[in-house]
Amino acid sequence: MSDAADVPSHEGKIAEDEAKVRSLATRKFDFEDMVNADPRCPLPALKIVRAYLRFISDFEKGTAYVSILDLQVATGGLSPHAIIAGRNKLIELGYFVPEGKTGAGAVRYRLSFAPENHVLDHVLIARETLKRIDAQRKEKQRQKRQASAVVTEPDAVTPDKPVTEAGAGPEGFVPCTGRRPVTEAGAGNYLYEYLEEDSSEEEGYTQRVSPPVEMNTYALASGDDPHVPYPVPDSEEELERMLAQLTRGFLPGVVVFFRRQFVAGQLTPAMVEQQRRLAS
């Protein structure tokens, strides 16, 4: 009788353990999504977070320590400077909470969902804003198509003098030179060039704009092609100096986005010029 009674209890324990594993995996995915959606996080942040999540078994009490060497391997070769800077930013934003040390004195971190409400607010604002922008864009395109359509009144053309274009006819070919693409070639889709300023200038979010600097924004590109990315700066000081020159007068959210593109080697003069026209 005792053996038969133990079977349901054993099966129930297995089911409970499986539920805990699924719950932990779900929370890990939620944590990744939260960091990925936070525009304040630097580019290496998600890679660093994924390396730490491997060692988390309890978000409430568990802590993790990962050495710089192991982080370099797990993140695909990020430099120690980028890892330390990214980890410090995660601490500053509240994702990593220092809690205890290893026997060798290295700091262990607990992963926290504290910034979740801030990120959810950003996601909701961004989604609604982009819906409105997309509707406005489609309406403008519709109006342009209507404005460009040539409407000919019946009495405006006489039978003996038809309206013709030079080269038209069965054998003629008239090249179309008045068309242009709706979006500029090589231009990106920028969330923050549309978001209102008050939604991006929150506490800990604002970006100081440098004084006006007269410069040619194409001067840093390779050659004269506006779609060739700027060279990646060699130091943090050079990055800030060049970014201040390129983004003066831009919204703080745009500056944050362009910093990411700059570091990734994807920022082009065409992107800067497009944003400058929108800001003017």
Side-chain angles (χ1 to χ4, degrees):
M1 293 295 293
S2 60
D3 292 340
D6 288 342
V7 173
S9 176
H10 180 66
E11 292 179 349
K13 183 65 168 59
I14 293 177
E16 181 180 353
D17 291 342
E18 291 178 349
K20 287 182 179 180
V21 170
R22 286 195 298 270
S23 175
L24 178 62
T26 300
R27 296 204 72 188
K28 288 184 177 183
F29 284 126
D30 289 343
F31 197 91
E32 285 187 6
D33 291 342
M34 177 175 59
V35 173
N36 193 39
D38 193 336
R40 302 170 301 172
C41 289
L43 288 173
L46 186 58
K47 288 187 174 184
I48 295 173
V49 164
R50 284 174 173 167
Y52 273 86
L53 283 174
R54 294 170 51 204
F55 302 97
I56 295 297
S57 57
D58 186 340
F59 275 92
E60 304 303 327
K61 301 177 182 178
T63 60
Y65 160 72
V66 185
S67 68
I68 296 294
L69 179 62
D70 289 335
L71 284 172
Q72 283 186 276
V73 175
T75 58
L78 284 177
S79 68
H81 174 76
I83 290 173
I84 293 173
R87 189 169 58 187
N88 288 341
K89 190 64 177 180
L90 289 168
I91 296 171
E92 176 188 336
L93 296 176
Y95 291 104
F96 280 13
V97 179
E99 196 165 292
K101 295 184 178 181
T102 65
V107 179
R108 302 180 67 89
Y109 298 99
R110 177 173 56 85
L111 275 60
S112 171
F113 279 86
E116 185 174 24
N117 288 337
H118 173 89
V119 177
L120 289 176
D121 289 343
H122 160 74
V123 170
L124 290 174
I125 294 173
R127 181 178 291 111
E128 294 304 317
T129 302
L130 287 179
K131 285 182 180 179
R132 185 178 72 250
I133 295 303
D134 186 60
Q136 293 174 353
R137 178 183 61 82
K138 291 179 179 178
E139 177 62 19
K140 287 182 179 179
Q141 291 180 1
R142 186 186 65 79
Q143 292 176 359
K144 286 181 179 179
R145 287 195 297 268
Q146 289 181 345
S148 62
V150 179
V151 180
T152 305
E153 295 294 336
D155 57 352
V157 180
T158 58
D160 58 339
K161 192 177 180 180
V163 177
T164 59
E165 188 172 358
E171 303 298 330
F173 171 75
V174 179
C176 179
T177 59
R179 298 178 60 190
R180 64 180 180 85
V182 176
T183 58
E184 184 176 358
N189 296 321
Y190 312 131
L191 170 62
Y192 280 103
E193 65 188 40
Y194 306 116
L195 294 182
E196 292 82 355
E197 188 172 21
D198 58 354
S199 67
S200 61
E201 290 187 352
E202 301 180 6
E203 182 178 356
Y205 225 114
T206 56
Q207 176 75 23
R208 182 173 298 176
V209 179
S210 301
V213 179
E214 295 298 331
M215 68 169 295
N216 177 6
T217 57
Y218 288 90
L220 299 178
S222 299
D224 297 327
D225 189 349
H227 305 300
V228 174
Y230 293 108
V232 178
D234 295 328
S235 63
E236 190 73 20
E237 292 75 13
E238 184 180 0
L239 169 65
E240 295 300 328
R241 177 178 58 80
M242 296 168 67
L243 193 67
Q245 293 177 340
L246 291 171
T247 62
R248 61 184 175 89
F250 291 179
L251 293 177
V254 178
V255 177
V256 172
F257 179 81
F258 275 11
R259 176 182 283 105
R260 292 186 177 184
Q261 298 296 97
F262 213 159
V263 172
Q266 298 175 356
L267 182 63
T268 67
M271 295 163 61
V272 176
E273 287 302 316
Q274 183 192 41
Q275 179 59 36
R276 192 174 303 283
R277 287 195 299 269
L278 291 171
S280 62

